[in-house]
Amino acid sequence: MSVQVEEWIHMDTQGDSSAQEDVQKCLNPVVGPRPNLTPIGLAIWNNNEQIFRSLVKDKRTHINNAGENLNTLVYALAFKEPRLEMAKILLTEGEDEDRLDVTAKDPGSGNTALHMAVQNGYKGVVGLLLEKYGDKIKVNEQNLDGNTALHLAAGAGHKDVVRLLLECKNINPSLTNSDDKTPFNLAKDKGHQECADALLVASDPMFLHEQIIQDIKDSNFAEARIEYWLNQGLKIDATNEDKYVLLMYAINVSNIEAVQFLIGDKQANVNAQDRLGRTALFWTINLFAAEGLIDKDKNKDIFEFLLKNGANPL
């Protein structure tokens, strides 16, 4: 068992209750009155982990059938307080991993196990599904409301799960649900700013949105704010429509600390060119002639720093 799988197994002991009200609204009512359950389904209902584990390891058990069209994994994850350990037993302790159906949908909602784990904010279960069954999981699968796993994570404000899903190679953050909402729209509507920011960057990590520029400007180019956007996935040499990079904006306000941080700590391209072919060095020289420049001494320091760190004067 890989180190990463071990980490996923021991995650989620307390779950993520940051958006519990939203979670309860979208939970499937499959946990209502007890249906006709199979033995493994009954073990889930009674929360009997010992019996459940024995049944999972017994090859005679119909491991995917919890009863009345209930997929076992989806059923285990459907409870208001999910049987987390049982879900993890299914994902890690079955005698034959090929027996487990991780793509089945709940007929009432169209939710898969990934949907159920995501909307509850259980990063460990999501990680296990993606790590062990990534070749089977369809990360862009939509439920009956048109929601993907990313929609549910964004709408519930589970920022760590959003970031985990965005790491998936085939993830599509631009899909719309039945209400014509993208995951970004849902995060914004619900006020989950960090999720919205991560999704904004995910739409194109090499594009420097005006919202990002303004946010960093408002912080006076604080290192922590630049770091925040880089942690959301923004590339250090992302550009806007005019091919301006963050380094050029920092130079434009003579912020030598930000310039040193971008080049020294984050390896920004010191010779990046804007749409007119102008580099950071050109911007710095041009500022010497600008009227009302606040601190020409800082601008001189920036000029010398750029030259020492590879700026091409030709």
Side-chain angles (χ1 to χ4, degrees), residues 115-129:
H115 284 96
M116 302 303 287
V118 160
Q119 68 187 6
N120 284 289
Y122 287 101
K123 183 180 177 182
V125 174
V126 175
L128 279 172
L129 284 165

Side-chain angles (χ1 to χ4, degrees), residues 128-181:
L128 279 172
L129 284 165
L130 297 177
E131 178 81 10
K132 296 195 68 178
Y133 300 93
D135 58 333
K136 298 179 180 179
I137 295 290
K138 298 177 181 178
V139 292
N140 297 310
E141 188 87 49
Q142 293 175 286
N143 64 15
L144 295 183
D145 292 323
N147 288 317
T148 64
L150 194 56
H151 278 93
L152 297 182
H158 300 310
K159 58 182 183 292
D160 289 339
V161 177
V162 166
R163 292 193 185 103
L164 182 59
L165 289 170
L166 287 174
E167 291 174 5
C168 295
K169 181 174 62 174
N170 298 320
I171 196 74
N172 184 352
S174 301
L175 288 175
T176 57
N177 63 13
S178 301
D179 294 322
D180 203 31
K181 299 280 189 178

Side-chain angles (χ1 to χ4, degrees), residues 30 33 49 63 67-69 74 81 96 110 114 190 205 214 238 240 247 250 265 271 274 276 284 286 295 311:
V30 72
E49 185 178 321
I63 197 172
E68 288 196 355
N69 297 319
V74 172
E81 294 181 0
D96 182 359
L114 183 62
K190 296 280 189 176
Q214 191 59 53
N240 69 356
L247 178 60
D265 290 21
N271 292 307
D274 65 16
L276 299 178
T284 307
N286 199 46
D295 196 332

